Amino acid sequence: MQKEIFFTEEEMQIIRVCLHNAPIPYDQGEGAKKLKKLQEKAGPPISRSQPGIEKAEYDLTPYGISNNE
């Protein structure tokens, strides 16, 4: 008897990220095929676009450094 397990969308995102990034010892031989199949089932991680931090402005001219871009 196989038990069904359900995950919330946030939990699935964690699983996707872990499958995509974490080193897994089964990345060679038969294990690689199983890993690829599992990654295809879970899908790729969903990327989020968030604004970055503001670029800081510093006056370094007293130190002989100019901001000539």
Side-chain angles (χ1 to χ4, degrees):
M1 182 169 112
Q2 186 174 0
K3 181 179 177 183
E4 289 190 38
I5 301 173
F6 298 98
F7 297 104
T8 66
E9 189 57 37
E10 185 177 350
E11 291 169 335
M12 275 305 299
Q13 177 67 359
I14 293 168
I15 292 170
R16 287 184 198 109
V17 170
C18 289
L19 283 173
H20 184 73
N21 293 328
I24 297 178
Y26 306 108
D27 59 353
Q28 302 214 357
E30 187 66 29
K33 293 176 189 174
K34 291 179 182 179
L35 173 61
K36 185 175 180 181
K37 189 174 180 180
L38 184 58
Q39 287 173 333
E40 288 172 0
K41 272 186 176 180
I46 300 168
S47 62
R48 300 182 205 173
S49 60
Q50 295 178 343
I53 60 173
E54 292 183 30
K55 185 176 179 181
E57 297 286 333
Y58 298 101
D59 180 17
L60 301 176
T61 52
Y63 304 102
I65 302 171
S66 63
N67 190 11
N68 295 332
E69 294 181 31

